Amino acid sequence: MKKRIAIIGGGIVGASTAYYLSTLPGGDQLDVTLYDDGVGQATKAAAGIISPWLSKRRNKQWYQLATDGASLLMTLARKANLSTEIYHQTGTIVTRTNEKDLHELYTLAQERQAESPDMGEVALLSAEEVQARLPLLTRPQPGVWVAGGARLDGQALVEELLSQAQQVNLTVKQERVSFDHEGQLIASAGAKRFDQIVVAAGAWLPELLAPMGIKVAVRPQKGQLIVLNVPDYPTQENMPVLMPEGERDFIPFGHGKLVVGATHDDEGQFDLSVTPDATTDLLSSAQHFDDQLTADSIVGTKVGTRAYTADFAPFFGRLQSHPKLLVASGLGASGLTTGPLIGQLLAGTMIYGGTPDWSKYQKSLTNYVS
Ligand SMILES: Cc1cc2nc3c(=O)[nH]c(=O)nc-3n(C[C@H](O)[C@H](O)[C@H](O)COP(=O)(O)OP(=O)(O)OC[C@H]3O[C@@H](n4cnc5c(N)ncnc54)[C@H](O)[C@@H]3O)c2cc1C
């Protein structure tokens, strides 16, 4: 008989887990059901920058997870035949106004490139060279170029991965589910039995596990970004992502679409309403680089809820107290980068069993779940 697996959450972690459960050898022996209520998903709202290599974060496990995650996305793009609308290795530019900071960043880029060849070519660019790569800028700044950087449309990726998995072993149900105190999954049709359950519920993990007396140290954070339509922008899709110092990120998606984001609003928590002041702030940040942009260009606003742990690090794995349950959360501001790798690791351990050593990627789960 086929093993029955449930996934709660259809964000990047849940969708990647479902995709790898459908593609890894042994996946044909599984019957997988994914539940998602579609409310406030961080993945749908994400800016989509994949470029972890120049991060100054000192957490080595996070850095390993994020850089391996960025590399896995390159492979996933090929294997899942992702269109360039979904994933595009456009390169990223990180700017610095101070000459000394710029050279320090370039030195860091060279060191990191030696360890991570997937980062691709790195280069120091003058303001004029930045403008040559991003002709839409009216006020360019010098920066460091990373050829391996990419932009990713989180919502489109999730839809594509789920659609591919549905052709193999996945059923998707759009509904909110819960657990009873024994860890049984309760869906709209009543209690359901599964051999294993992955709880990839982002910022909602604490409330889902609470009935079992499990505490999860995760807090929600509201994030907002704006989508602009700028018809006179170059139509080509391959313009790089700009990560300016002290300003919001600038992500040209080609065909006149520009995304600017994102805010980090701790007080907003699970609030999904558009904050007008945040919209103004995002636009004014974008105008620092392109003074032609106006409020009339704004065609959309996205709001989502990030999940953060106290040390800003994600966690994932099997719960010792409830061995049928695997959890993942706390992906913070870089979950599009780390999510597919987390999904692949979770899928692998469900199919092949065992207790893999993931200490190169994370601290013990007991730091976050008790
Ligand atoms: C504005 C913004 C910009 C960002 N930009 C970037 C970026 O540029 N690069 C990057 O790498 N990362 C970025 N991120 C971070 C990234 O989007 C997140 O870390 C990642 O998407 C989290 O994925 P997840 O699958 O853990 O959670 P989510 O995407 O939040 O998915 C969890 C899902 O579980 C569902 N769910 C919860 N409870 C239940 C229940 N009881 N029943 C059914 N379903 C349930 C939710 O509705 C949701 O759909 C950004 C995030 C935001 C908000």
Side-chain angles (χ1 to χ4, degrees):
M1 207 171 109
K2 288 192 174 184
K3 280 196 177 161
R4 301 190 65 204
I5 291 186
I7 300 171
I8 305 177
I12 194 146
V13 176
S16 303
T17 306
Y19 170 79
Y20 285 110
L21 284 174
S22 74
T23 58
L24 289 175
D28 53 347
Q29 293 308 308
L30 307 173
D31 183 1
V32 185
T33 308
L34 182 142
Y35 297 94
D36 186 85
D37 64 0
V39 179
Q41 193 182 95
T43 305
K44 281 187 201 157
I49 304 171
I50 309 298
S51 191
W53 301 281
L54 300 188
S55 169
K56 294 268 179 79
R57 284 177 66 171
R58 294 203 182 132
N59 183 331
K60 288 194 175 134
Q61 289 159 311
W62 172 83
Y63 182 75
Q64 191 70 49
L65 182 69
T67 51
D68 284 358
S71 296
L72 181 76
L73 268 165
M74 296 175 192
T75 314
L76 178 63
R78 279 195 305 275
K79 291 214 165 136
N81 204 13
L82 301 180
S83 72
T84 50
E85 301 280 325
I86 300 178
Y87 173 87
H88 202 333
Q89 222 169 344
T90 54
T92 45
I93 298 170
V94 183
T95 67
R96 290 286 179 272
T97 41
N98 177 298
E99 183 100 353
K100 185 169 164 277
D101 293 348
L102 181 68
H103 283 273
E104 273 178 21
L105 191 68
Y106 181 50
T107 304
L108 177 72
Q110 289 174 307
E111 288 166 8
R112 297 252 165 109
Q113 204 274 345
E115 297 159 9
S116 310
D118 282 346
M119 195 174 160
E121 181 209 12
V122 298
L124 188 61
L125 302 181
S126 65
E128 293 71 30
E129 287 167 329
V130 168
Q131 195 175 34
R133 291 176 196 236
L134 270 170
L136 40 96
L137 300 185
T138 54
R139 294 176 188 157
Q141 292 173 348
V144 174
W145 161 256
V146 178
R151 61 160 167 73
L152 175 70
D153 182 329
Q155 178 166 5
L157 175 71
V158 160
E159 284 167 9
E160 179 62 31
L161 295 181
L162 292 180
S163 149
Q164 293 191 21
Q166 277 173 298
Q167 290 165 34
V168 183
N169 59 8
L170 175 71
T171 305
V172 176
K173 298 206 180 250
Q174 287 184 354
E175 61 176 279
R176 187 163 191 79
V177 294
S178 59
F179 284 111
D180 66 13
H181 68 282
E182 288 175 339
Q184 185 150 226
L185 193 151
I186 313 293
S188 56
K192 297 267 175 190
R193 290 206 174 274
F194 290 97
D195 297 300
Q196 301 190 68
I197 304 175
V198 179
V199 198
W204 296 266
L205 185 64
E207 67 176 58
L208 255 164
L209 300 189
M212 286 174 262
I214 300 173
K215 286 196 180 140
V216 183
V218 161
R219 67 180 168 85
Q221 182 197 66
K222 176 177 180 178
Q224 183 172 317
L225 53 76
I226 51 173
V227 183
L228 298 99
N229 182 23
V230 196
D232 44 333
Y233 270 20
T235 53
Q236 74 259 29
E237 282 183 344
N238 60 353
M239 279 179 294
V241 171
L242 184 71
M243 301 164 77
E245 184 182 18
E247 295 289 347
R248 308 300 182 174
D249 297 323
F250 201 88
I251 309 133
F253 270 78
H255 310 292
K257 180 177 164 188
L258 171 69
V259 170
V260 178
T263 62
H264 293 257
D265 175 359
D266 285 319
E267 284 175 17
Q269 298 196 359
F270 289 106
D271 173 22
L272 292 176
S273 63
V274 172
T275 308
D277 284 353
T279 304
T280 310
D281 166 70
L282 291 164
L283 177 64
S284 110
S285 181
Q287 286 168 331
H288 280 122
F289 305 99
D290 179 354
D291 56 15
Q292 311 287 314
L293 297 172
T294 66
D296 294 340
S297 322
I298 300 175
V299 288
T301 310
K302 292 188 185 186
V303 183
T305 312
R306 301 183 189 90
Y308 274 103
T309 57
D311 62 0
F312 304 94
F315 61 87
F316 51 95
R318 195 180 292 280
L319 291 184
Q320 273 191 354
S321 59
H322 297 73
K324 274 187 184 180
L325 291 189
L326 294 95
V327 298
S329 183
L331 277 69
S334 50
L336 289 195
T337 316
T338 57
L341 177 54
I342 292 173
Q344 188 194 47
L345 295 171
L346 292 177
T349 192
M350 275 188 291
I351 294 180
Y352 308 124
T355 27
D357 178 9
W358 288 327
S359 57
K360 73 169 177 172
Y361 290 138
Q362 62 171 350
K363 288 186 193 153
S364 160
L365 215 54
T366 52
N367 283 279
Y368 312 99
V369 185
S370 55

